Amino acid sequence: MTLQIPAPTPADKFSFGLWTVGWQGRDPFGEATRAEMDPVHALTKLAEIGSYGVNFHDDDLIPFGSDDATRAAIVERFKKGLAETGLVVTTATTNLFTHPVFKSGALTNNDREIRRFALRKVMRNIDLAAELGAQVYVCWGGREGAEYGASQGIAEALDRYQEAFNLLGEYVTASGYDLRFAIEPKPNEPRGDILLPTIGHALAFIETLDRPELVGVNPEIGHEEMAGVNAAAGYAQALWQGKLFHIDLNGQNGPRYDQDLRFGAGNVRGAFWVVDTLLAGGYDGPVHFDFKPARTEGEDGVWASAKACIDNYLILREKAKSFRADPEVQAALEAAKVPELAVPTLAEGEGWRELLDAAPEDPEALAQRGGAFEALDQLALEHLYGVR
Amino acid sequence: MTLQIPAPTPADKFSFGLWTVGWQGRDPFGEATRAEMDPVHALTKLAEIGSYGVNFHDDDLIPFGSDDATRAAIVERFKKGLAETGLVVTTATTNLFTHPVFKSGALTNNDREIRRFALRKVMRNIDLAAELGAQVYVCWGGREGAEYGASQGIAEALDRYQEAFNLLGEYVTASGYDLRFAIEPKPNEPRGDILLPTIGHALAFIETLDRPELVGVNPEIGHEEMAGVNAAAGYAQALWQGKLFHIDLNGQNGPRYDQDLRFGAGNVRGAFWVVDTLLAGGYDGPVHFDFKPARTEGEDGVWASAKACIDNYLILREKAKSFRADPEVQAALEAAKVPELAVPTLAEGEGWRELLDAAPEDPEALAQRGGAFEALDQLALEHLYGVR
Amino acid sequence: MTLQIPAPTPADKFSFGLWTVGWQGRDPFGEATRAEMDPVHALTKLAEIGSYGVNFHDDDLIPFGSDDATRAAIVERFKKGLAETGLVVTTATTNLFTHPVFKSGALTNNDREIRRFALRKVMRNIDLAAELGAQVYVCWGGREGAEYGASQGIAEALDRYQEAFNLLGEYVTASGYDLRFAIEPKPNEPRGDILLPTIGHALAFIETLDRPELVGVNPEIGHEEMAGVNAAAGYAQALWQGKLFHIDLNGQNGPRYDQDLRFGAGNVRGAFWVVDTLLAGGYDGPVHFDFKPARTEGEDGVWASAKACIDNYLILREKAKSFRADPEVQAALEAAKVPELAVPTLAEGEGWRELLDAAPEDPEALAQRGGAFEALDQLALEHLYGVR
Amino acid sequence: MTLQIPAPTPADKFSFGLWTVGWQGRDPFGEATRAEMDPVHALTKLAEIGSYGVNFHDDDLIPFGSDDATRAAIVERFKKGLAETGLVVTTATTNLFTHPVFKSGALTNNDREIRRFALRKVMRNIDLAAELGAQVYVCWGGREGAEYGASQGIAEALDRYQEAFNLLGEYVTASGYDLRFAIEPKPNEPRGDILLPTIGHALAFIETLDRPELVGVNPEIGHEEMAGVNAAAGYAQALWQGKLFHIDLNGQNGPRYDQDLRFGAGNVRGAFWVVDTLLAGGYDGPVHFDFKPARTEGEDGVWASAKACIDNYLILREKAKSFRADPEVQAALEAAKVPELAVPTLAEGEGWRELLDAAPEDPEALAQRGGAFEALDQLALEHLYGVR
């Protein structure tokens, strides 16, 4: 029977950024192909397609350099839009990359005055995030990095990044905000190499902070695939370390420029395993789509692609569930000894001494056992194809 | 004046693996092109080219499945070779990948018996490592991974990996061995995706262990470049986190199969920055070359390429020193504000309150400042070219 | 309604190589995990799973260096196996890569004697190919290449490759064989860089030959994806140039080592577009699967994965057909003006003069038209998922 | 003795595009960091740093949509600037990618009216190119491509591309222009996949044109490295096929976004082999640098990086010459049998019959010969390092 795509509900926590649906299509080789989008219009349309939440960079909502009165009026109007649509602000973040002042970095810029300006910009938007009820504050340090080896000392850059997160942790704590940070790693683009290039590097860095419990990661599928690593495995390690505070779902075709395809496009098998991983790991935060509606499209294409992100997630979630529920799959998992990996290697009460004393295994006999992974994976693929 | 390549000395701590110089040239599409190399012959030749240390997988020295008498005789003869050549065993490691029993992994194999066999194999070789004076025990989990998303649960695999390192940490502690572990990350090959694919993932994992202080990383340049990330930046983060316990230097041309070129070949600029990073970070462990002498070569090519690794390191070390000592470079670093990154962003006694209260910066004025990184990098390149 | 996977028929022309199903699982880091497979056993099993054809390298069937009597006996037995199973020999090829003599290349080896030996080896197997009825002779020059820029002159290598194909063209013509050649491009592995790295380079080279009509290409999906280029687009260009003489279908996850996954695994969207391209271009040659059954598997896994290649092709073929037949898709293609690309840009009788004289277009108005590609691609994805 | 960097001369034919030195630093994530540059100012500065030639897209010089009077005034002023500086217009090209009208392609846009508009735009700028004395007309089809498999038929796109080049060939012939075309391949960015992704694909396509002699390639180092293929080998094949009509030199670090680093930065070994290949193949056209001065830089960084491109070419040219002249290198080339590749495989008068009849080689003996490539490559590296 053909799968019916479920309708999205608030419990699904789908969300989009203003910068996503409002992207005008400016790329390194071309001018904008779409007009600016009014944020309140975006709220209305997002609600229509089944979105639960919305996110923004400070400058998405309030143009850089706005005076206080303009700012207040914009925020007021935006709140009204939220109230009217029922949309929730799930996260907020700071734009530390568009303005030329950030051309050589923000929180780790060699120029101390720019670092101070950046910190202030973050704190100001944290206030707004808290006011609007965001619970996660995303930090993508896209300009923290370098093209060349001598341009900045990595150790010093990590010192300054640590200093910044320690200060921000102190700030939200002192302010009584219920807000946690999520670092979004990326290997490169727009800088030749970016600090904390993968989920792993970010997780490792977090452990050095004063308040590691306040900081997790916000991995983006495309960013991990740009490094040629398995995105689902990265999500799984973040979950395992209790650090998957937020997610950015989209599509990418391997190591190349940041494509930001809609979720489902790109590596479709990878997308399936990401969803399966989120279900297995009990992720219950917002399901956020951070893609760019193709520059070739008019506004109808924006909403078609945004809606498709939601549909594809729902389709893949159904498929992941039916895959795990399928008795043939369960038999294949048994055949591949997958459940046995959950059994500790040591028996109850056993230590290295007992292990050394135990009866030896016969490696030649053990080597005869086939993995049975091909049959298992083919079942997964057939679920993906919808032929079982 | 043309740089004279310095002669290697024991203080340089150059080392090679038996598996490196003894590699017979078997690749996925071809048979061995070189004869087996006697380990004691390898010691003699390594000493001749200026090596200080030597390393081995258990099976490099003692064929898999040898009986105790054979083992003892081999070890005896090897010790004699060490004594005669003055070579030091700097590290040892376990072969958990060649024998078919490990085809689906070792310490994280779904099959519990295989995990137990693997742990025992590690412990046995740790004894030998300690006996021979190795201070670092390298762990490359090349078969820990999967081709397909359902083949193993990542969370369960990390549980088992954690269990294994906890047990091994207990073992060396209880045994009174002066031995630390160094995990060697790799993104893929021979598995579709390998657990702990980059330096970052390994550093993050280590923090979850019972004895994190016993475990660091052994990054290989080529493995990081296979993930398209900057190897020098990875080494720098490992140093910054106090975890660079050992290094594997070689060459690679970006994301493709594991080339294991001699050090210096491959990304030559990357090699320069790795050496500069090691000097800046005060790394003082063995300088280990983990490459594969090209399969096209006879034994003369083995030693030519091994010697070239040493020479290239010495050349790049001289270049890195002369780069840092060059007054024009120092001026260019100042112009690029590189030293200013070492200055904390906050003034003495300043917190977030004081920062928010401080006089605001003018982003438009700050944006006018050019980075001056091109001129700086060109100086680095001219040092690399030997034209200054 | 859930798609029923059609049963394979001889008209589908599915084929496999002896080296594929007989692969023993030896990889750069591990020993064989499966026993040698008897070629006649392979025929029986291939027939069982629905294969129409079989292929071989000379050395797959007849061990390198066999004497004439051994050779004759092997060929006799193999012919009998073919007769009993009804399998057809669709192509044959020469192993110019396994034996150490080819370590630095075969037809473009710097060593002229090795080039001569290689040519002779090819001619000898061409005789057998013709005898067994093969119509395409595949040429994968996996060792033609270099690790280093000075190792061979590219111009001289192309001269020698040209000389070789000219000689071989003369040979089959003079021998009256109904046999055409298909060059299989690959960017790297086992050599650092391989001559004719992509479909494009091979197509360009072919035009320089004495008998270009005798030579086409045999593109492998995985090889193109290792270069990060779109495999389907490459197949399409080869078809457009009348040169798609044979195909190698398998799976790969982007630029990394040659994974040789079963067809369908790897880039599943890419696989769909390859099949769609083959249908659109009217390809009617053998549908050949050149993959490696994962090293983790026993013989059951070999046949499960081989069967899965066939099933996945049949599934994707049904999906491509239903995608093209779907009225919503046809409307979306119209909306995206896809059919208009088939209309010449110039009107009947129009030349550059008339074009320059025609009424000018208004670029601002034309720029308003949206591409409508997102909606179209989402329909394709939903066909792939089996939800429409 | 330290190499002195030679001074550039007109005979070196160094050239830069207005779009290169005038790049304002707008990237996918950030606004312009530099002011617009007056084209005549660019000429003055280019002359100062030793440039011989200059190039432009139509819109670089004459803003899109300018009226005829504006156009004439701009051209007049530019000619005066050329006369005053002595700079030569070596090539010109059409901007078919910046304006939104080209968002889904130009010469292969599905929309026929846009294709017609594009053709007209090309012809108009060809007139200007001819008027200003350009001898090569570069064609980079950066928007010819797609993100998705159904967005355009590749065969139809190739038909239209062929139609366009046939028309343009007719146009320059009928107009009596001494102008040849050079197609610039690129695998992706700004489109998901671009038509004619590598040198090879472009060379193959050219052979299908009405006037293949009028069309060659303009390979860019970075574009080839984005596909993970060896740029020097690509240049060599283009030279071998008589099709290297123009070159774009710059720097790139493997498969990732288009970095457009200054020549010498990026893959420095690759740059050396490109220069060696150009010398070996007798390339005598303009030496054009197509890079982007880093966005972090002020105008001083623009000129520092442009000057560095010239210096790095001159340095590498000296190194390539000294490498080839070094007697040790010549001996190493002999040892590696490199000159033997220039010797035909067949003897004078020999054909396949004679070859089959000749005395057989002994593969085991031939396999004993080592390649001696490691020693040779180390000599190359030492020349690159400037230590010999």
Side-chain angles (χ1 to χ4, degrees):
Chain A
M1 207 190 63
T2 303
L3 167 70
Q4 294 303 310
I5 308 177
T9 74
D12 297 324
K13 297 192 191 166
F14 294 123
S15 68
F16 293 86
L18 293 180
W19 70 92
T20 292
V21 295
W23 187 57
Q24 293 186 252
R26 204 172 279 115
D27 78 11
F29 300 96
E31 290 164 4
T33 62
R34 290 189 293 262
E36 273 191 47
M37 184 179 288
D38 172 46
V40 174
H41 172 68
L43 295 180
T44 310
K45 297 294 292 183
L46 284 172
E48 275 176 34
I49 62 167
S51 192
Y52 154 85
V54 68
N55 323 275
F56 57 89
H57 299 84
D58 45 2
D59 303 342
D60 298 336
L61 187 60
I62 305 157
F64 187 95
S66 297
D67 61 29
D68 286 355
T70 308
R71 177 186 175 93
I74 289 170
V75 170
E76 199 51 39
R77 184 167 171 264
F78 189 66
K79 282 182 177 173
K80 217 176 127 212
L82 291 169
E84 283 170 7
T85 56
L87 285 177
V88 167
V89 171
T90 50
T91 74
T93 183
T94 327
N95 184 324
L96 298 174
F97 45 88
T98 298
H99 192 280
V101 72
F102 300 125
K103 64 180 183 284
S104 311
L107 300 175
T108 69
N109 198 305
N110 287 347
D111 191 323
R112 185 170 169 267
E113 288 182 76
I114 295 174
R115 299 198 297 269
R116 292 171 67 90
F117 175 73
L119 272 173
R120 251 200 268 257
K121 193 170 190 282
V122 177
M123 286 189 281
R124 186 166 204 201
N125 200 44
I126 282 176
D127 293 344
L128 180 58
E131 179 185 343
L132 295 176
Q135 294 188 298
V136 172
Y137 200 84
V138 167
C139 301
W140 175 58
R143 296 269 177 216
E144 319 296 349
E147 282 67 46
Y148 303 120
S151 302
Q152 62 170 205
I154 298 292
E156 290 76 19
L158 290 167
D159 281 341
R160 295 292 78 74
Y161 224 20
Q162 190 187 50
E163 184 188 8
F165 279 97
N166 285 342
L167 180 93
L168 296 172
E170 176 67 22
Y171 182 65
V172 300
T173 305
S175 305
Y177 294 153
D178 179 20
L179 200 62
R180 296 190 302 173
F181 297 93
I183 296 178
E184 180 173 331
K186 190 178 184 186
N188 57 64
E189 195 192 3
R191 302 308 303 274
D193 293 290
I194 297 178
L195 214 59
L196 308 182
T198 73
I199 291 174
H201 295 79
L203 291 174
F205 168 75
I206 290 166
E207 293 308 311
T208 73
L209 300 177
D210 287 349
R211 293 181 170 84
E213 70 283 2
L214 277 189
V215 187
V217 290
N218 174 45
E220 178 169 316
I221 291 177
H223 295 177
E224 300 305 306
E225 300 216 343
M226 288 165 72
V229 294
N230 186 308
Y235 279 77
Q237 185 170 347
L239 280 163
W240 184 76
Q241 302 205 200
K243 289 297 188 192
L244 193 66
F245 286 9
H246 196 254
I247 58 176
D248 271 9
L249 305 184
N250 62 4
Q252 173 77 16
N253 290 308
R256 61 178 63 182
Y257 76 100
D258 186 8
Q259 297 192 277
D260 272 334
L261 302 171
R262 75 186 192 282
F263 179 64
N267 179 355
V268 71
R269 260 159 84 78
F272 174 82
W273 293 116
V274 166
V275 174
D276 180 72
T277 296
L278 294 174
L279 295 181
Y283 175 78
D284 65 356
V287 172
H288 180 67
F289 302 107
D290 190 5
F291 78 111
K292 288 195 170 70
R295 184 181 178 269
T296 54
E297 305 296 292
E299 193 183 325
D300 51 347
V302 170
W303 302 114
S305 56
K307 179 69 169 63
C309 288
I310 288 177
D311 284 352
N312 292 340
Y313 187 88
L314 291 166
I315 291 167
L316 291 172
R317 193 176 65 188
E318 293 306 303
K319 287 181 181 292
K321 283 182 192 167
S322 70
F323 169 71
R324 293 289 169 186
D326 181 343
E328 274 191 74
V329 169
Q330 288 162 357
L333 287 164
E334 281 291 339
K337 294 183 178 282
V338 174
E340 194 171 308
L341 191 59
V343 180
T345 306
L346 296 177
E348 189 71 37
E350 207 179 22
W352 61 265
R353 259 177 252 271
E354 294 74 20
L355 176 59
L356 284 178
D357 288 347
E361 300 81 13
D362 174 2
E364 304 307 329
L366 292 173
Q368 294 307 312
R369 298 182 185 166
F373 302 126
E374 288 285 354
L376 172 61
D377 184 61
Q378 180 63 13
L379 290 172
L381 189 52
E382 293 180 6
H383 276 276
L384 183 64
Y385 286 147
V387 299
R388 68 164 53 227
Chain B
M1 206 188 69
T2 305
L3 168 69
Q4 294 304 310
I5 308 176
T9 73
D12 297 326
K13 297 190 190 166
F14 294 122
S15 68
F16 293 86
L18 292 180
W19 70 92
T20 293
V21 295
W23 187 58
Q24 292 185 253
R26 206 172 278 114
D27 77 13
F29 300 95
E31 289 164 3
T33 62
R34 290 190 291 263
E36 273 192 49
M37 185 179 288
D38 171 46
V40 174
H41 173 68
L43 296 179
T44 309
K45 296 295 292 186
L46 284 173
E48 274 176 34
I49 62 167
S51 193
Y52 155 86
V54 68
N55 321 276
F56 58 88
H57 299 84
D58 45 1
D59 303 342
D60 298 336
L61 187 60
I62 305 156
F64 187 95
S66 297
D67 61 28
D68 287 353
T70 308
R71 178 186 174 89
I74 288 170
V75 171
E76 200 51 40
R77 183 167 171 265
F78 189 66
K79 281 183 178 173
K80 215 174 129 215
L82 289 169
E84 283 170 6
T85 56
L87 284 176
V88 168
V89 172
T90 50
T91 75
T93 183
T94 327
N95 185 325
L96 297 175
F97 46 89
T98 298
H99 191 279
V101 72
F102 301 125
K103 64 180 182 286
S104 311
L107 300 176
T108 70
N109 199 306
N110 287 346
D111 192 321
R112 184 170 169 268
E113 288 182 78
I114 294 175
R115 297 198 297 269
R116 292 172 66 89
F117 175 72
L119 271 173
R120 249 201 269 259
K121 191 169 192 282
V122 177
M123 286 190 283
R124 184 167 207 202
N125 200 44
I126 282 176
D127 293 344
L128 180 58
E131 178 184 344
L132 295 176
Q135 294 187 299
V136 172
Y137 201 83
V138 167
C139 301
W140 174 59
R143 295 271 176 216
E144 318 296 350
E147 282 66 47
Y148 303 121
S151 302
Q152 65 169 203
I154 298 290
E156 291 75 19
L158 290 168
D159 281 342
R160 294 291 79 73
Y161 224 20
Q162 189 186 52
E163 184 188 8
F165 279 98
N166 285 342
L167 180 92
L168 296 172
E170 176 68 21
Y171 183 63
V172 299
T173 305
S175 303
Y177 294 155
D178 179 22
L179 200 61
R180 297 188 301 172
F181 297 93
I183 296 178
E184 180 174 330
K186 191 176 182 186
N188 56 67
E189 194 189 6
R191 303 309 301 273
D193 293 292
I194 298 178
L195 213 61
L196 309 182
T198 72
I199 291 173
H201 296 79
L203 291 175
F205 168 75
I206 290 166
E207 293 307 312
T208 73
L209 299 177
D210 287 348
R211 292 183 172 84
E213 70 283 2
L214 278 189
V215 187
V217 289
N218 174 45
E220 178 168 316
I221 291 176
H223 294 177
E224 301 303 306
E225 301 217 343
M226 288 166 72
V229 294
N230 185 307
Y235 279 76
Q237 184 169 349
L239 279 164
W240 184 75
Q241 301 205 201
K243 289 298 188 191
L244 193 66
F245 286 9
H246 196 254
I247 59 177
D248 270 9
L249 305 185
N250 63 4
Q252 172 77 15
N253 290 308
R256 59 178 64 180
Y257 76 100
D258 186 9
Q259 297 191 276
D260 273 335
L261 302 172
R262 77 185 190 283
F263 179 64
N267 179 356
V268 71
R269 261 159 83 77
F272 174 81
W273 294 116
V274 166
V275 174
D276 180 72
T277 296
L278 294 174
L279 295 181
Y283 175 77
D284 65 356
V287 172
H288 180 67
F289 302 106
D290 190 5
F291 77 111
K292 287 196 169 73
R295 182 179 179 270
T296 55
E297 306 296 294
E299 192 183 328
D300 52 346
V302 171
W303 302 114
S305 55
K307 178 68 167 65
C309 288
I310 289 178
D311 284 351
N312 292 340
Y313 186 87
L314 291 167
I315 291 168
L316 290 171
R317 193 175 67 187
E318 292 305 303
K319 287 181 181 293
K321 283 182 191 168
S322 70
F323 169 69
R324 292 289 170 186
D326 180 344
E328 275 191 71
V329 169
Q330 289 163 355
L333 288 163
E334 282 290 339
K337 292 183 179 286
V338 174
E340 194 171 309
L341 192 59
V343 180
T345 305
L346 296 176
E348 187 73 36
E350 211 180 17
W352 61 266
R353 259 179 251 271
E354 293 74 20
L355 176 59
L356 285 178
D357 289 347
E361 299 81 15
D362 174 4
E364 305 307 329
L366 292 173
Q368 294 307 312
R369 299 184 185 164
F373 302 127
E374 287 285 355
L376 172 61
D377 183 60
Q378 180 63 14
L379 289 172
L381 189 51
E382 293 181 5
H383 275 276
L384 183 64
Y385 286 148
V387 298
R388 64 166 56 229
Chain C
M1 208 190 66
T2 303
L3 168 70
Q4 294 303 311
I5 308 176
T9 74
D12 297 325
K13 299 191 189 164
F14 293 122
S15 68
F16 293 87
L18 293 180
W19 69 93
T20 292
V21 295
W23 186 57
Q24 293 185 253
R26 204 171 281 114
D27 77 14
F29 300 95
E31 289 164 5
T33 62
R34 290 189 292 262
E36 272 192 49
M37 185 180 286
D38 171 47
V40 174
H41 172 68
L43 296 179
T44 310
K45 296 295 292 184
L46 284 172
E48 275 175 35
I49 62 167
S51 192
Y52 155 85
V54 68
N55 322 276
F56 58 88
H57 299 85
D58 44 2
D59 303 341
D60 298 336
L61 187 60
I62 305 154
F64 187 95
S66 296
D67 61 30
D68 288 353
T70 308
R71 178 185 174 93
I74 289 170
V75 170
E76 200 52 40
R77 183 166 172 267
F78 190 67
K79 282 182 177 173
K80 215 175 131 215
L82 290 169
E84 282 169 7
T85 56
L87 284 177
V88 168
V89 171
T90 50
T91 74
T93 184
T94 327
N95 184 324
L96 297 175
F97 46 89
T98 297
H99 191 278
V101 71
F102 300 125
K103 63 181 182 285
S104 312
L107 300 175
T108 69
N109 197 304
N110 286 346
D111 190 323
R112 185 171 169 265
E113 287 183 79
I114 295 174
R115 297 198 298 269
R116 291 172 67 91
F117 174 73
L119 272 173
R120 251 200 269 257
K121 191 169 193 281
V122 177
M123 286 190 283
R124 186 167 205 201
N125 200 45
I126 282 176
D127 293 345
L128 179 57
E131 179 186 343
L132 295 176
Q135 293 188 300
V136 172
Y137 200 83
V138 167
C139 302
W140 174 58
R143 295 270 177 216
E144 318 296 350
E147 281 67 46
Y148 303 120
S151 301
Q152 64 170 202
I154 298 292
E156 290 74 20
L158 290 168
D159 281 341
R160 295 292 77 75
Y161 223 22
Q162 189 186 51
E163 184 188 7
F165 278 98
N166 285 342
L167 180 93
L168 295 173
E170 177 67 22
Y171 182 65
V172 300
T173 305
S175 304
Y177 293 152
D178 179 22
L179 199 61
R180 296 189 302 173
F181 297 93
I183 296 177
E184 180 174 331
K186 190 177 184 187
N188 56 65
E189 196 192 1
R191 303 307 303 272
D193 293 291
I194 297 178
L195 215 59
L196 308 181
T198 73
I199 291 173
H201 296 79
L203 291 174
F205 168 75
I206 289 166
E207 293 308 311
T208 73
L209 299 177
D210 287 348
R211 291 181 172 85
E213 70 282 3
L214 277 189
V215 187
V217 289
N218 174 45
E220 177 169 316
I221 291 177
H223 294 178
E224 301 304 306
E225 300 217 343
M226 288 166 72
V229 294
N230 185 305
Y235 278 77
Q237 184 169 347
L239 280 164
W240 184 75
Q241 302 206 200
K243 289 297 187 192
L244 193 65
F245 286 8
H246 195 255
I247 59 176
D248 270 9
L249 304 185
N250 63 4
Q252 173 77 14
N253 290 307
R256 61 179 63 180
Y257 76 100
D258 186 8
Q259 296 191 276
D260 272 335
L261 302 172
R262 76 187 191 282
F263 179 64
N267 178 356
V268 73
R269 262 159 82 77
F272 174 82
W273 293 117
V274 165
V275 174
D276 180 73
T277 296
L278 295 173
L279 295 181
Y283 175 78
D284 65 356
V287 173
H288 179 68
F289 302 106
D290 190 5
F291 79 110
K292 289 196 167 73
R295 182 180 178 271
T296 54
E297 306 296 294
E299 192 182 328
D300 52 347
V302 171
W303 302 114
S305 56
K307 179 69 167 65
C309 288
I310 289 177
D311 284 350
N312 292 339
Y313 187 88
L314 292 166
I315 291 168
L316 291 171
R317 193 175 66 188
E318 293 306 302
K319 287 182 182 291
K321 283 181 191 168
S322 70
F323 169 72
R324 292 289 169 187
D326 181 344
E328 274 191 73
V329 169
Q330 289 163 356
L333 287 163
E334 281 291 338
K337 293 183 178 285
V338 173
E340 195 172 308
L341 192 59
V343 180
T345 306
L346 296 176
E348 187 74 36
E350 209 180 21
W352 60 265
R353 259 178 250 269
E354 293 75 19
L355 176 59
L356 285 178
D357 288 348
E361 299 81 13
D362 174 2
E364 305 305 330
L366 292 172
Q368 294 307 311
R369 299 182 183 164
F373 303 126
E374 288 284 353
L376 172 60
D377 183 60
Q378 181 62 14
L379 290 171
L381 189 52
E382 292 180 7
H383 276 277
L384 184 63
Y385 286 147
V387 299
R388 66 166 54 229
Chain D
M1 208 191 63
T2 305
L3 168 69
Q4 293 305 307
I5 308 175
T9 73
D12 295 326
K13 297 189 190 167
F14 293 122
S15 68
F16 293 87
L18 292 180
W19 70 91
T20 293
V21 294
W23 188 57
Q24 292 186 252
R26 204 173 280 114
D27 78 12
F29 300 95
E31 291 164 4
T33 62
R34 289 189 292 262
E36 274 192 47
M37 185 180 287
D38 172 47
V40 174
H41 172 68
L43 295 180
T44 308
K45 297 295 293 184
L46 284 172
E48 275 176 35
I49 62 167
S51 192
Y52 154 86
V54 68
N55 322 274
F56 58 89
H57 299 84
D58 45 2
D59 303 343
D60 298 335
L61 187 60
I62 305 157
F64 186 95
S66 297
D67 61 29
D68 287 355
T70 307
R71 177 186 175 92
I74 288 170
V75 171
E76 198 52 38
R77 185 168 169 262
F78 189 67
K79 281 183 178 174
K80 217 176 127 210
L82 290 169
E84 283 170 8
T85 56
L87 285 176
V88 168
V89 171
T90 50
T91 74
T93 183
T94 326
N95 184 323
L96 297 174
F97 47 89
T98 298
H99 191 278
V101 72
F102 301 125
K103 63 181 182 284
S104 312
L107 300 174
T108 69
N109 198 305
N110 287 348
D111 191 322
R112 184 171 169 266
E113 288 183 77
I114 295 175
R115 298 199 295 270
R116 292 172 65 89
F117 175 73
L119 271 172
R120 250 202 268 259
K121 192 169 191 280
V122 178
M123 286 190 282
R124 186 167 205 202
N125 201 44
I126 282 177
D127 293 345
L128 179 59
E131 179 185 342
L132 294 177
Q135 294 188 299
V136 172
Y137 200 83
V138 167
C139 302
W140 174 59
R143 295 271 177 216
E144 318 297 349
E147 281 66 48
Y148 304 120
S151 302
Q152 65 169 202
I154 298 290
E156 290 75 19
L158 290 168
D159 281 342
R160 295 292 78 74
Y161 223 22
Q162 189 185 52
E163 184 188 8
F165 278 98
N166 285 342
L167 179 93
L168 295 172
E170 177 67 22
Y171 182 65
V172 299
T173 304
S175 304
Y177 293 154
D178 179 21
L179 199 62
R180 298 190 300 173
F181 297 93
I183 295 177
E184 181 175 331
K186 191 177 182 186
N188 56 65
E189 196 192 4
R191 302 308 302 277
D193 292 292
I194 298 178
L195 214 61
L196 308 182
T198 73
I199 291 172
H201 296 79
L203 292 174
F205 168 76
I206 290 166
E207 293 307 311
T208 73
L209 299 178
D210 288 347
R211 292 182 171 85
E213 70 283 3
L214 278 189
V215 188
V217 289
N218 174 45
E220 178 168 316
I221 291 176
H223 295 178
E224 301 303 306
E225 300 215 344
M226 287 166 72
V229 294
N230 185 307
Y235 279 77
Q237 185 171 348
L239 280 163
W240 184 75
Q241 302 205 200
K243 289 298 188 191
L244 192 66
F245 286 9
H246 196 254
I247 58 176
D248 271 8
L249 304 185
N250 63 3
Q252 173 77 15
N253 290 308
R256 63 177 63 180
Y257 76 100
D258 186 8
Q259 298 192 276
D260 273 335
L261 301 172
R262 74 184 193 283
F263 179 63
N267 178 355
V268 71
R269 261 159 83 78
F272 174 82
W273 294 116
V274 166
V275 174
D276 181 71
T277 296
L278 294 174
L279 295 181
Y283 175 77
D284 65 356
V287 173
H288 181 66
F289 302 106
D290 192 4
F291 79 110
K292 288 197 170 72
R295 185 182 177 267
T296 54
E297 306 297 293
E299 193 182 327
D300 52 346
V302 171
W303 302 114
S305 56
K307 178 67 167 67
C309 287
I310 288 178
D311 284 351
N312 292 340
Y313 187 87
L314 292 166
I315 291 168
L316 290 171
R317 192 174 67 189
E318 292 306 304
K319 286 181 182 295
K321 283 183 192 167
S322 70
F323 169 72
R324 292 290 170 187
D326 180 344
E328 274 191 72
V329 169
Q330 290 162 356
L333 287 164
E334 281 291 339
K337 293 184 180 283
V338 174
E340 194 170 309
L341 192 59
V343 180
T345 305
L346 296 176
E348 187 72 36
E350 208 179 20
W352 62 265
R353 259 178 251 273
E354 293 75 19
L355 176 60
L356 285 178
D357 288 348
E361 300 80 15
D362 174 2
E364 305 306 330
L366 291 173
Q368 294 307 312
R369 297 182 185 166
F373 302 126
E374 287 285 354
L376 173 60
D377 184 60
Q378 180 63 14
L379 289 172
L381 189 52
E382 293 181 5
H383 275 276
L384 183 63
Y385 286 148
V387 298
R388 64 166 56 228

